[in-house]
Short mmCIF file of all heavy atoms in Angstrom, two decimals:
data_model
loop_
_atom_site.label_atom_id
_atom_site.label_comp_id
_atom_site.label_asym_id
_atom_site.label_seq_id
_atom_site.Cartn_x
_atom_site.Cartn_y
_atom_site.Cartn_z
N PHE A 172 118.47 99.78 98.92
CA PHE A 172 117.03 99.71 99.14
C PHE A 172 116.75 99.89 100.63
O PHE A 172 117.40 99.27 101.47
CB PHE A 172 116.46 98.37 98.66
CG PHE A 172 116.69 98.10 97.20
CD1 PHE A 172 117.64 97.18 96.79
CD2 PHE A 172 115.97 98.78 96.24
CE1 PHE A 172 117.86 96.92 95.45
CE2 PHE A 172 116.19 98.55 94.89
CZ PHE A 172 117.14 97.61 94.49
N HIS A 173 115.75 100.71 100.93
CA HIS A 173 115.36 100.99 102.32
C HIS A 173 113.85 100.88 102.43
O HIS A 173 113.12 101.33 101.55
CB HIS A 173 115.79 102.41 102.72
CG HIS A 173 117.28 102.62 102.68
ND1 HIS A 173 118.03 102.85 103.80
CD2 HIS A 173 118.15 102.66 101.64
CE1 HIS A 173 119.30 103.01 103.47
NE2 HIS A 173 119.39 102.90 102.16
N MET A 174 113.37 100.30 103.54
CA MET A 174 111.92 100.11 103.67
C MET A 174 111.51 99.95 105.13
O MET A 174 112.21 99.31 105.92
CB MET A 174 111.47 98.86 102.89
CG MET A 174 109.96 98.67 102.85
SD MET A 174 109.46 97.27 101.82
CE MET A 174 109.88 95.90 102.89
N ALA A 175 110.36 100.52 105.46
CA ALA A 175 109.76 100.32 106.77
C ALA A 175 108.72 99.22 106.69
O ALA A 175 107.95 99.13 105.73
CB ALA A 175 109.09 101.61 107.25
N LEU A 176 108.70 98.37 107.70
CA LEU A 176 107.62 97.40 107.87
C LEU A 176 106.50 98.05 108.67
O LEU A 176 106.70 99.05 109.34
CB LEU A 176 108.12 96.17 108.61
CG LEU A 176 109.36 95.47 108.06
CD1 LEU A 176 109.68 94.23 108.90
CD2 LEU A 176 109.18 95.09 106.60
N ILE A 177 105.32 97.46 108.60
CA ILE A 177 104.18 97.96 109.35
C ILE A 177 103.34 96.77 109.81
O ILE A 177 103.20 95.78 109.06
CB ILE A 177 103.33 98.95 108.50
CG1 ILE A 177 102.14 99.48 109.30
CG2 ILE A 177 102.90 98.33 107.19
CD1 ILE A 177 101.39 100.60 108.57
N ASN A 178 102.84 96.83 111.00
CA ASN A 178 101.97 95.78 111.53
C ASN A 178 100.82 95.54 110.54
O ASN A 178 100.09 96.47 110.21
CB ASN A 178 101.42 96.22 112.89
CG ASN A 178 100.62 95.14 113.59
OD1 ASN A 178 100.13 94.20 112.98
ND2 ASN A 178 100.46 95.30 114.89
N PRO A 179 100.63 94.31 110.05
CA PRO A 179 99.53 94.06 109.12
C PRO A 179 98.17 94.48 109.67
O PRO A 179 97.28 94.87 108.89
CB PRO A 179 99.61 92.55 108.89
CG PRO A 179 101.05 92.23 109.08
CD PRO A 179 101.50 93.12 110.20
N ALA A 180 97.99 94.40 110.98
CA ALA A 180 96.71 94.84 111.55
C ALA A 180 96.48 96.31 111.29
O ALA A 180 95.36 96.75 110.99
CB ALA A 180 96.68 94.56 113.06
N THR A 181 97.53 97.11 111.39
CA THR A 181 97.44 98.54 111.08
C THR A 181 97.31 98.76 109.59
O THR A 181 96.51 99.59 109.13
CB THR A 181 98.69 99.27 111.60
OG1 THR A 181 98.88 98.99 112.99
CG2 THR A 181 98.57 100.76 111.38
N LEU A 182 98.09 98.03 108.82
CA LEU A 182 98.09 98.21 107.36
C LEU A 182 96.72 97.91 106.76
O LEU A 182 96.24 98.66 105.89
CB LEU A 182 99.15 97.31 106.73
CG LEU A 182 99.24 97.33 105.20
CD1 LEU A 182 99.51 98.73 104.69
CD2 LEU A 182 100.31 96.35 104.72
N ILE A 183 96.08 96.85 107.20
CA ILE A 183 94.76 96.51 106.66
C ILE A 183 93.76 97.63 106.93
O ILE A 183 92.97 98.00 106.05
CB ILE A 183 94.27 95.17 107.25
CG1 ILE A 183 95.16 94.02 106.79
CG2 ILE A 183 92.82 94.91 106.84
CD1 ILE A 183 94.91 92.72 107.54
N VAL A 184 93.80 98.18 108.13
CA VAL A 184 92.91 99.30 108.47
C VAL A 184 93.18 100.48 107.54
O VAL A 184 92.24 101.11 107.01
CB VAL A 184 93.09 99.70 109.94
CG1 VAL A 184 92.30 100.97 110.25
CG2 VAL A 184 92.66 98.58 110.87
#
Side-chain angles (χ1 to χ4, degrees):
F172 300 106
H173 298 247
M174 186 176 75
L176 307 182
I177 180 172
N178 186 339
T181 306
L182 177 58
I183 294 169
V184 173

